[in-house]
Amino acid sequence: MDRSTAAAAADFFVMEMAKRQLVVLLLVVVALFEGSRAVSVCDISEDGLAACKPSVTKPDPVEPPSVDCCKAVSGANFTCLCSYKNSYLLPYLGIDPDLAMALPSKCNLSTAVPSC
């Protein structure tokens, strides 16, 4: 590996670490700002996220999703979830975006899931 390739690889690594640190910082700021309010992502409560996590976490997602998960998913804003699909937030929370978008089908809900 020549010197310029090594420098480029180091720069890339530093940028990726900076992005991850920014996400963590934003999560901390949101947590501090929100105080004691319950966490909610795209109209799914903290309890709903916890209920669905086993079904949206790789490598061995639990199928079928739990009744509590399906109840939480029935009120979810999937257009909002699309905005997080390519971000670091969902993977940081241990959520696989593709598995999350498949939950309405697995819960036999008639919820329209946008293609994102």
Side-chain angles (χ1 to χ4, degrees), residues 46-69:
E46 187 173 3
D47 291 339
L49 289 170
C52 289
K53 191 161 183 178
S55 295
V56 295
T57 304
K58 287 186 175 181
D60 297 314
V62 172
E63 290 191 30
S66 69
V67 172
D68 288 337
C69 174

Side-chain angles (χ1 to χ4, degrees), residues 59-109:
D60 297 314
V62 172
E63 290 191 30
S66 69
V67 172
D68 288 337
C69 174
C70 290
K71 187 185 298 184
V73 168
S74 69
N77 180 341
F78 282 90
T79 302
C80 171
L81 276 176
C82 277
S83 69
Y84 289 109
K85 188 169 183 180
N86 294 318
S87 79
Y88 290 109
L89 179 63
L90 294 180
Y92 179 79
L93 295 172
I95 299 170
D96 180 272
D98 294 323
L99 292 173
M101 298 304 275
L103 283 174
S105 171
K106 292 178 180 179
C107 290
N108 296 318
L109 300 174

